[in-house]
Amino acid sequence: MRWLLSPVRHWRSRRLMADHGSSLSYREAWCLVTLARDPAELPFVHSLTTQTRIHRPGTPPGASIDVWASLETSEQRRRIAWLNRYGATPLSLLGLSEELIELAGLHIIEWALPPGLVSNSVILQDRPGPTSNAG
């Protein structure tokens, strides 16, 4: 059945790469799309990440957040427009949990949320609220 769905999965992987940005490789996108379609594919994806060493050396599998301040202004605007339109990052829209990404052996860079904008993300990104000096 995998070979039959290959063109659709290829198109969805390319679309995810375009939506997410340059920090997501084709193989990572393909694995994420595969897991989003059917989480039961976890053993297959995990064996693929182990055999092809998709994960980055020296980093544990899972999701981490990039740095908002280090992004170019055009990328910040693109992400704000995306988040305002969809209310979630492209990875979050897949519906995958951070735990599933980690179990698959993937290391994914998730978008940092801009200050003051509430959106869904794969990683819970708590923003510190206003602090009071009571006491």
Side-chain angles (χ1 to χ4, degrees), residues 27-53:
R27 288 186 182 212
E28 291 168 336
W30 188 91
C31 288
L32 292 169
V33 166
T34 299
L35 288 172
R37 185 188 161 279
D38 186 6
E41 294 275 11
L42 178 62
F44 174 70
V45 170
H46 186 267
S47 69
L48 179 66
T49 60
T50 304
Q51 292 170 1
T52 59
R53 304 201 191 292

Side-chain angles (χ1 to χ4, degrees), residues 50-120:
T50 304
Q51 292 170 1
T52 59
R53 304 201 191 292
I54 290 177
H55 65 278
R56 294 170 178 91
T59 56
S64 61
I65 302 173
D66 60 8
V67 179
W68 178 260
S70 70
L71 300 173
E72 294 182 14
T73 306
S74 60
E75 178 63 12
Q76 288 179 350
R77 278 184 286 195
R78 183 184 81 83
R79 289 184 182 189
I80 288 172
W82 174 277
L83 293 169
N84 283 331
R85 182 174 184 183
Y86 296 103
T89 66
L91 294 182
S92 180
L93 290 175
L94 289 175
L96 298 173
S97 68
E98 186 178 0
E99 180 184 27
L100 188 61
I101 292 169
E102 185 177 338
L103 289 172
L106 295 165
H107 177 74
I108 305 299
I109 308 295
E110 172 64 301
W111 288 3
L113 297 178
L117 188 63
V118 178
S119 293
N120 291 332

